Every structure is written in structure tokens, then in C-alpha cells.
Amino acid sequence: MEEVIVRAAHVTPSPRQLAWQRLEFTAFIHFTVNTFTDREWGDGTESPAIFNPTRFDARQWAQVCKDAGMKGLILTAKHHDGFCLWPSQYTEHSVKNSPFRDGKGDVVAETAAACREYGLKFGIYLSPWDRHEATYGSEQYNVHFKNQLRELLSNYGDIYCVWFDGACGEGPNGKRQVYDWDGYYEVIRELQPGAVISVCGPDVRWCGNEAGHTRPSEWSVVPAYLRDQEKIIEKSQHEDDAEFSHRVTTQDQDLGSRERLCAASELVWYPAEVDTSIRPGWFYHAEQDSQVKSLEQLLEIYYGSVGNAVLLLNLPPTPEGLIHGTDAARMRELGETLRETFRENLAAGAAISATESLDVGHGPDQLLDGSESTYWTPNPGTEKAMVELTLPEPKSFNLLMLQEHIACGQRIESFKLQIWSGLQWETIAESTVVGYKRLLRFDTVTADRVRVAITSSRVCPTLANIGMYYRQPL
């Protein structure tokens, strides 16, 4: 087992994975003919004539995302219905044959431009399943799909993510497609080498549900077989089932423990993404205007996912082409709450020490400089260590933030947060993995001496940052 754990401790993210991880909180925009038919899945027979968002404003979308504190946006350039939100030269089933902008519109172009203006990263969702395209179910369709990928990856600036789900149903001819995943990946790596390929891809894995549920220990270092596209497809949604987005299965709760890794022949860095919608559906439905997730629900999902996972929250525009006022207001509320919570790091100004440090360049003072590139670490082989903070005065807090230096790997397996009561150290919270970031909530405590005790790690732990914050009652 020891050999496997040493190997696991040295699995690290690629530059594109690390850049993706730092986004933390991003938006999904589901928008197509379904928005006008009041359906979740289209069947490919919809007329382009129904697509006419008369008040379409991608800048409003971007503003809502910025208000919430999001850093990226992924647009459904083509959903299962096959309707393209850009004027693709490879199909007539697109905006070029709709009334939108008198047939001269391009939703992808306007969204990409709005993202650049508002400082958001731009990504695309392109459904491999196409219920309209006549060539679906043949090798010619793989050529068709790669041609559409080339259009999207060549004409709209930098793309940070290409998002593939596992839907694989019948096309208009009743046939199913054998997807040329390797061929798709080659196109992406050629044209957008900085883009991560998500879900049915080698860079980012699906958390396993659409309900915003995360595992207690969300490891980024996992067995390589989790990247098997066929297994991903098996667990994906295969029919228009409204309950699928609320379903949480408890299988595969453990993906990265020592026991799981020892049974694997190859290990990879394959971090999780949590995708869920602000409403019950992924597309807009007027009857769901009163079912927008509450601030409390969104914060529960945020604190459970942001860190080792990236939170991808869906905001479905209305048929007018705007994010609904209720959704927009809730996102402002969420953003204001998060900005207020993280406005002041109560650990700033503390005197900090550690049980041991590798050298001067990796001392505990690195934990309070706000940089992800500097870090504290003990000597190699030390798997348990403690970091202690002495504050200038007692502070009240109820949220701890820890970050590992994941460029060196994910190593911490468990830790405790303790405060000095005046007589002894009291454990007020404990948890498992840290990884890129761990946000740990607990009841409010007041103390001037605080320590983080790392109780288990692989090879030796690293910590890049530590933060203590106070969450106001809602």
C-alpha cells in the first residue's frame, strides 16, 4: 500500500485543470428551442421559426453572473434537439433560419463578447446526441460533429471548457451513434489547448448527480478507470425524466481512499464538478418562477462543493432572452452574502507557528500571504503536523478555509480545528480532505489561539493558505 500512496501523493493537475479549479463558481446557461416549447428535451422536429428571443441580452446574463461572484459561463450551443445557437454552415437547423436578428443573429458570438466584456471565462456545451441530424448513427456524423466543434473552437475566442454529457439516444433514423471521443478530443486539443474537457472527457469528472450533492471526501486523485466514457454514459440521463435532477445515489461514495487506490492500476488527477440548476428544470418554465432555490439552499450547495469541486449553477433564460428577475435577484443576494462573509480574513495579523517546517522558504508565515504559489510543508515523511495561530485579540468566527498547494498534489486525509479554552485545546470541528480548498462550517466560537492539527496525510502535507471568517446569520 505504501508504494501506491506515495504515487498518489505525486499525482498533480495539468495547467488547464489548475486554471479551471481556480474559477470555483461558474454558470450554466440552458437556452434553445426548448425555451419556446416549454420542454426539457426537444425531439429535433422543432421549427427554427419558433426561436425568437425579442429582448435577448447576453450582457444581462453576464451581469447576473458577476453579481453572484461567478467567474465563467458555459452556453448550450447545441442541445439534444440539434438546434444550433450559431449560424453553422453544416446544418439548416440553426439561428440562421430563425426570426432572431432577422436570421443574422449569433447567440454564441454575443455571449462570448459579453463574457469578455465582463471578465468571465466562456465555455460551450455541445451535445453529441443530435435528434435532428440525418447522419446521426453513422461514421459521417462523427465528421459532422467535429466540423461543428471546429466552428465553435475557431471563431469565438478563447474557450475555457468544452462540456460533453453522456446522453446517447436514437437519432431521427432510429439509430444510435458510436461517438468518436478520441477524435473529438484531438480537435479540442488542437484548437483550444487550454480548454478542459468536462464530464465525458479526461479533465473534469461529473460528481454523479444533478442535485448539488457532494461526497464527504471529494478526492481529485482517483482511479483512471473513472474516465471510461461508457461507464459515464451508463450513469447519465437517458430519457426526459424530471426526477433525474433531484436524484442522489449513495453508490461510489468513496472514490479516492487508500483502499480504493490500492485496487487501481493507474491513478489520475480527475477533479469533480457539481452541476445543478437554480430551478427544478434546466430550461425555463414559467410555472417554476416560484420554485427558485432559496439563499439558504444555494449557500448549502456552495459550501459543500466550492473547493475540491467547482460549482456549475444553471441559470435558464426566459423566452424573451433574459434571466428572470427572481433568479437575478437571488444571485445578487448570494453574491452580496459571499462577499460580506469573505471580506475580512480574521486570521490576518496573527502570529503563526508550526510543529516543524521544511525550510525558511516553506515556513508557516506563507499561510497568511494570500498567495497560492507559496506554501508551508513539514519535512518529507512527516504525515502529522500542527499549525498554530495566536491572534492579537479574541475573534469570533464560524468558518475555516484551508488550501493545499495542489501543484504538489492532494495529500491531506484528515484534520481537526482546535481552540485554546484557557485550560486545554478543544476540538470544535474536524474533516477529511482539503485539496484546492476546504470550507468548513461550525457553530460560532471566540478564541485568540487556534490551531489546525493535520491527523493524516500522504507522504507529507502542504498548506498554501488559511482563513478564518464569520458568517452572519441569515
Side-chain angles (χ1 to χ4, degrees):
M1 178 180 285
E2 190 59 33
E3 179 185 345
V4 173
I5 297 310
V6 170
R7 185 154 46 93
H10 291 90
V11 176
T12 58
S14 67
R16 68 173 72 90
Q17 287 174 314
L18 189 54
W20 169 87
Q21 192 86 63
R22 288 172 176 153
L23 297 179
E24 298 189 1
F25 186 24
T26 56
F28 222 165
I29 299 288
H30 274 65
F31 191 52
T32 186
V33 288
N34 300 350
T35 308
F36 298 86
T37 60
D38 202 27
R39 298 176 65 183
E40 282 290 290
W41 283 13
D43 59 17
T45 64
E46 297 84 4
S47 169
I50 66 173
F51 187 83
N52 191 21
T54 54
R55 297 180 60 198
F56 171 73
D57 185 358
R59 297 177 75 252
Q60 187 252 4
W61 300 359
Q63 182 64 65
V64 171
C65 294
K66 289 292 286 186
D67 289 345
M70 293 168 158
K71 297 178 183 176
L73 180 156
I74 297 174
L75 173 68
T76 56
K78 184 190 77 169
H79 204 254
H80 311 327
D81 48 75
F83 183 78
C84 297
L85 295 185
W86 77 101
S88 175
Q89 65 174 300
Y90 298 103
T91 182
E92 295 303 306
H93 199 50
S94 83
V95 289
K96 67 185 179 184
N97 289 315
S98 78
F100 175 60
R101 305 279 195 257
D102 295 322
K104 297 179 175 61
D106 188 335
V107 175
V108 177
E110 292 194 43
T111 306
C115 286
R116 286 193 293 272
E117 179 181 349
Y118 283 80
L120 299 169
K121 299 292 185 180
F122 179 60
I124 58 164
Y125 165 111
L126 191 67
S127 172
W129 185 22
D130 192 320
R131 305 179 77 179
H132 176 85
E133 174 57 39
T135 62
Y136 187 86
S138 71
E139 183 52 38
Q140 183 57 35
Y141 176 75
N142 283 322
V143 176
H144 169 85
F145 188 78
K146 283 182 273 190
N147 284 336
Q148 291 196 321
L149 264 179
R150 287 185 176 277
E151 286 184 315
L152 290 169
L153 301 180
S154 301
N155 300 321
Y156 298 99
D158 287 340
I159 304 294
Y160 88 91
C161 174
V162 179
W163 210 99
F164 293 139
D165 64 22
C168 183
E170 295 180 354
N173 53 15
K175 295 181 180 180
R176 291 179 182 267
Q177 180 69 36
V178 177
Y179 299 140
D180 178 17
W181 292 115
D182 290 339
Y184 304 164
Y185 300 162
E186 287 176 8
V187 173
I188 298 167
R189 295 293 193 237
E190 172 196 344
L191 298 175
Q192 294 284 347
V196 293
I197 309 171
S198 295
V199 184
C200 269
D203 298 317
V204 176
R205 66 180 165 84
W206 183 43
C207 70
N209 66 87
E210 297 177 354
H213 173 79
T214 49
R215 297 172 180 84
S217 301
E218 198 66 86
W219 282 98
S220 295
V221 179
V222 295
Y225 65 75
L226 291 175
R227 295 193 300 195
D228 185 328
Q229 297 98 341
E230 296 307 314
K231 289 186 173 67
I232 296 168
I233 288 173
E234 285 174 13
K235 296 180 180 180
S236 298
Q237 188 173 359
H238 295 283
E239 58 186 23
D240 190 359
D241 175 8
E243 291 302 313
F244 186 86
S245 63
H246 307 287
R247 196 174 301 144
V248 175
T249 59
T250 55
Q251 62 182 352
D252 293 335
Q253 281 291 89
D254 174 16
L255 297 181
S257 70
R258 293 184 176 221
E259 290 70 27
R260 285 298 294 267
L261 298 188
C262 284
S265 59
E266 181 185 359
L267 306 178
V268 292
W269 189 277
Y270 198 31
E273 180 178 67
V274 177
D275 62 315
T276 192
S277 183
I278 196 170
R279 292 164 171 251
W282 288 91
F283 289 92
Y284 177 83
H285 309 286
E287 69 271 15
Q288 295 179 359
D289 286 351
S290 62
Q291 300 178 57
V292 174
K293 283 183 171 64
S294 67
L295 176 61
E296 291 87 345
Q297 288 174 308
L298 291 173
L299 286 171
E300 188 68 25
I301 294 170
Y302 182 92
Y303 285 120
S305 56
V306 168
N308 276 326
V310 166
L311 174 56
L312 179 63
L313 181 65
N314 182 61
L315 305 171
T318 68
E320 288 186 315
L322 301 172
I323 293 173
H324 191 276
T326 301
D327 307 52
R330 186 59 38 79
M331 298 311 290
R332 283 195 299 275
E333 188 180 21
L334 175 63
E336 289 166 0
T337 300
L338 293 172
R339 282 188 288 275
E340 177 59 27
T341 298
F342 292 101
R343 180 178 56 84
E344 180 184 7
N345 182 357
L346 300 174
I352 188 166
S353 61
T355 47
E356 65 177 74
S357 301
L358 175 61
D359 53 38
V360 175
H362 295 94
D365 54 305
Q366 308 288 346
L367 296 175
L368 296 176
D369 64 3
S371 171
E372 293 179 23
S373 61
T374 60
Y375 61 97
W376 161 81
T377 187
N379 296 307
T382 298
E383 297 184 355
K384 298 180 181 181
M386 285 187 289
V387 173
E388 183 177 337
L389 297 91
T390 302
L391 305 173
E393 58 187 15
K395 298 286 181 72
S396 296
F397 60 101
N398 51 25
L399 176 65
L400 175 74
M401 183 277 291
L402 295 178
Q403 285 188 288
E404 285 187 66
H405 183 68
I406 61 171
C408 289
Q410 185 181 21
R411 301 184 176 187
I412 297 175
E413 295 177 310
S414 62
F415 68 93
K416 294 180 180 180
L417 175 64
Q418 300 176 319
I419 60 172
W420 180 251
S421 68
L423 297 173
Q424 61 185 0
W425 287 102
E426 296 182 357
T427 298
I428 59 169
E430 51 190 303
S431 189
T432 56
V433 299
V434 174
Y436 170 73
K437 181 179 286 187
R438 168 66 83 169
L439 299 174
L440 183 63
R441 294 168 292 165
F442 41 87
D443 292 337
T444 302
V445 295
T446 302
D448 60 359
R449 290 180 65 190
V450 179
R451 74 182 185 187
V452 174
I454 298 170
T455 53
S456 178
S457 65
R458 298 171 178 178
V459 178
C460 66
T462 71
L463 280 177
N465 285 301
I466 186 168
M468 296 159 43
Y469 302 93
Y470 180 70
R471 297 175 293 116
Q472 293 283 352
L474 295 177

